[in-house]
Each structure stands twice: as structure tokens, then as C-alpha cells.
Amino acid sequence: MMIIGVDYHPSFQAIAFCVEETGECGEQELSHSEGQAEKFYRDLQPRGIRVRVGMEATGYSRWFERLLAELGFQLWIGDPAEIKAKRGKKQKFDREDARLRRRLMLENNFPQIRVPSPENRDLRQLLWHRHRMVPLRTRIMNQLQALAMNEGQRRKKKLWSEAGRAQLEKLPLAAWAARRRRDRLELLDRMNPPIEELTAAIEREARKWPEVLRLMTHPGVGPITALALVLIIGTPERFQCGKQIGSYVGLIPCEDSRAGHQRLGHITKQGSSLLRSLLGEAAQAAARWDADWRRRYLHLALRRQRNIAKMAMARRLAVRMYWMWRKGCAYAQSLEFGSHAGQLGTGQGVK
């Protein structure tokens, strides 16, 4: 088997390879745009040897992953933080990084991570596409609101009704302000249909997943948040407890504690920023519509700051959805196995 350690960059890759049977080793730099990398790997296929490639998790590498899958080569993707921790030398350059990956694979010490399927990644693109388009539409709507308020019209959401839209179009404006209004309205009309189409596609996809439908029974959770959690987490058996979910999503605080002193900072923001953002929005929706969630949010907001309370409720929502998914139950059923400490008749509190 040929073991290849890769230090991947968007324009090139540095490799360090070793053939286990013969002991042949070597190092190269392969350009992507000139086709050197593709030619190198395609030339290995006729030799009839097994190939295993190891690289860090990085962006802009989809074409490379597809190439290796087409050739039938194994691809191991490693955790960048763990690979960095295993670097003994205080030297970092491309070929040294490639050698490190090769050494870890030869020692069977490569920190391999889970890689989602191509279908999973494509569905994530659907979620990302809508998630990026909605803020663009919001910016356009805010600019139109500013134009209306400058003319003494503060209608808030009513500005987007038929009567509000007609009033906005009739406002007497100077030449360039009127041009700006016209262009913004045209962009808004062009963005609404694609966003509605993407939303409908997500809803159709969510109906195909039983676990997504169960998660949607939770207050504040819609098809977008539920589908994102299922796609990004993959399977609940990957985690042993809810605390690991909070850490995986990046909703736990940074910690630098020593000598008996605990020091907590801002949230780590590790993991998927898409899922973290959706959980924050869903937690706020749950606090608006569910009395228990509103009580907990207000209690935290009074004790701490509102931004801390929002992140705490988002973390709580992630943990609750995780247990709903793992136990295969809806929201009403999940309340039955919640914390009953101190309640009468449960066998856990004071009777």
C-alpha cells in the first residue's frame, strides 16, 4: 500500500509518500491548475497498488475528493486541532506538514474524523443557499424602510402589505432617491420567488425524514432547523451525552482555569456556524411562543445579559433536540423523561 500525506492548498499540494512493501519514499509539490496533481494520482491507478491519502479537513477540496473516489483510493480526513497537537517540532512548512500526516498514518495514529456523504453535503448546500439569501433580502427591505421613514412614514411590517407597498411607490422623492427606490423594489421582487422556492424544497425534504418531523414538534423548531441538525450531527449515537452536543456546536464557553480558579470566556464558536445560528433563532422563537421557555429565558436574562441568555437557551434547545432524536420521541413525550428532581411523588425529591 502507498501512504500519501498531503498538505493541501487551493492552488497546490505538498505530498510525502511511502510504499510499505518496498520502502520507497519521496516528496513532491503538485500544482492544481496545471493538472500535475490529477496526473500524479491517475498514473498510480494502472500500477495496481492500494493508495491511502491523508489530509486535514479544509475547504476548496471537493474536486480532489471526487477524484480520489473515482480512482478508488482511500481518503482519510483528519482533525486539524489534533494533528497540530501531535507536531513535536516548532517548525511548520508545507513539506514538514505532509511528512507529519504520513508519519501519523504509518503509526496508525491519524486522528480521522467523520466525513458526510455527497448527498448530505448537497442538502447542506440547499440550507446554506437559503440561509445566505435571506439576509440579503433583509438588507434590501431595511433600506426601503429607511427611505419611507425619511419621508415620515413608519409602517414597520405594514409597509410590505399591498397598501403599504402602494404608498411606498407613491412617495414623492428626488430623482436619485426615486431611482434607488425603484432598483431596491425590483431586487426585492426578484429575490422573493427564489427564497420561497428554496423554502418549499426544504419543507419537501424535511417530510422525507421521520426524525426531522419529530424534532419539528418542539416549539420554535421548523423544518430548516430540524433538517440542519439531522444533516450536521449525522447520527445521535456519535455522542454519549447532551454536553457533547453543546461542545460540538460551539455553544459552550471557552475555559482557561488553573490553580483552583475558574475562568470562562465567550462561546467557542467551534463547529457549524449555520447550525449555531439556526439554533439561536429557534430558541428565540420558542421563548416567544412557549411559556416555560419564556420563563427560563427571562430568568437568565435578569441574572446575566441577554446575549448570554440567548446562547444558553440555544444550547438547551440543542440538547433537548438531541435527546428527542436519540429516544425517538416527540416534544410532549420528551417532557416525561426530563429532570424531576425535587418534585413530589417521583422518588427523587423530598416526600
Side-chain angles (χ1 to χ4, degrees):
M1 173 178 284
M2 175 180 282
I3 303 296
I4 304 177
V6 176
D7 183 48
Y8 187 91
H9 297 271
S11 57
F12 75 98
Q13 58 182 267
I15 67 170
F17 61 87
C18 178
V19 181
E20 291 182 318
E21 291 77 10
T22 64
E24 176 189 359
C25 297
E27 300 174 2
Q28 283 184 258
E29 285 192 3
L30 305 174
S31 172
H32 295 162
S33 58
E34 298 176 2
Q36 293 178 353
E38 183 173 357
K39 183 178 183 302
F40 173 82
Y41 291 102
R42 289 194 182 277
D43 290 345
L44 293 177
Q45 192 178 33
R47 296 172 58 180
I49 60 175
R50 294 183 299 160
V51 177
R52 178 180 297 157
V53 179
M55 58 181 288
E56 284 187 356
T58 183
Y60 314 111
S61 62
R62 298 289 172 84
W63 72 272
F64 184 54
E65 297 175 23
R66 288 194 300 266
L67 173 64
L68 297 181
E70 176 189 345
L71 298 175
F73 297 164
Q74 294 184 29
L75 175 62
W76 286 6
I77 297 182
D79 186 346
E82 292 191 26
I83 292 177
K84 181 180 179 181
K86 297 177 185 296
R87 183 187 299 120
K89 300 179 181 180
K90 292 187 177 180
Q91 294 177 322
K92 186 184 185 306
F93 51 92
D94 299 335
R95 295 203 175 191
E96 180 61 31
D97 288 344
R99 295 188 201 114
L100 173 62
R101 290 150 181 72
R102 179 184 63 184
R103 176 172 62 83
L104 293 176
M105 287 193 292
L106 289 173
E107 296 174 353
N108 199 24
N109 195 24
F110 190 80
Q112 192 175 2
I113 63 175
R114 169 184 170 271
V115 179
S117 65
E119 295 78 11
N120 184 304
R121 287 182 170 183
D122 192 48
L123 284 176
R124 293 191 195 188
Q125 291 298 316
L126 170 62
L127 295 172
W128 267 115
H129 188 29
R130 185 193 179 277
H131 187 68
R132 291 302 188 190
M133 289 192 68
V134 170
L136 295 177
R137 181 179 63 178
T138 302
R139 291 179 62 183
I140 294 172
M141 296 171 70
N142 289 341
Q143 292 176 31
L144 291 171
Q145 287 278 11
L147 283 173
M149 286 191 293
N150 279 330
E151 300 302 322
Q153 300 294 328
R154 190 169 185 268
R155 298 176 63 89
K156 297 184 178 181
K157 292 183 179 180
K158 294 181 180 179
L159 185 65
W160 313 119
S161 64
E162 293 185 4
R165 172 72 178 259
Q167 185 177 6
L168 176 62
E169 293 176 348
K170 293 178 182 178
L171 288 177
L173 300 176
W176 286 110
R179 170 66 181 273
R180 183 187 181 196
R181 174 182 59 186
R182 186 181 73 235
D183 292 347
R184 297 293 97 180
L185 288 173
E186 290 178 357
L187 285 174
L188 182 62
D189 293 338
R190 290 171 57 185
M191 293 194 69
N192 282 329
I195 292 176
E196 294 174 0
E197 180 183 355
L198 294 172
T199 303
I202 293 174
E203 292 174 352
R204 288 195 302 269
E205 191 64 35
R207 288 193 287 269
K208 301 177 183 178
W209 301 66
E211 56 269 38
V212 173
L213 295 177
R214 282 195 296 269
L215 294 178
M216 288 170 57
T217 61
H218 193 290
V221 177
I224 299 175
T225 304
L227 183 61
L229 181 79
V230 171
L231 291 176
I232 293 171
I233 299 301
T235 172
E237 286 74 20
R238 294 175 58 200
F239 305 94
Q240 298 179 357
C241 62
K243 290 183 178 180
Q244 294 179 353
I245 287 288
S247 176
Y248 184 78
V249 180
L251 288 172
I252 63 172
C254 298
E255 184 170 4
D256 184 16
S257 301
R258 63 191 72 182
H261 296 281
Q262 187 180 40
R263 298 178 179 88
L264 300 179
H266 54 75
I267 60 174
T268 62
K269 295 186 179 181
Q270 293 178 323
S272 172
S273 59
L274 170 64
L275 180 57
R276 190 164 53 250
S277 174
L278 292 174
L279 286 171
E281 295 175 3
Q284 288 297 290
R288 286 194 298 269
W289 297 105
D290 186 81
D292 180 59
W293 280 77
R294 181 166 55 253
R295 176 182 59 81
R296 292 178 182 274
Y297 169 71
L298 293 176
H299 178 69
L300 286 171
L302 289 174
R303 287 180 54 231
R304 308 295 295 272
Q305 300 175 7
R306 284 186 176 269
N307 57 344
I308 296 178
K310 290 178 181 178
M311 291 300 99
M313 297 305 293
R315 181 171 63 251
R316 180 182 179 83
L317 177 61
V319 174
R320 175 64 62 86
M321 293 174 68
Y322 162 75
W323 283 114
M324 289 173 57
W325 185 11
R326 183 165 179 174
K327 292 183 175 292
C329 62
Y331 174 70
Q333 298 171 315
S334 70
L335 299 178
E336 299 176 2
F337 61 81
S339 175
H340 300 284
Q343 296 185 13
L344 298 179
T346 64
Q348 299 178 7
V350 179
K351 296 184 179 180

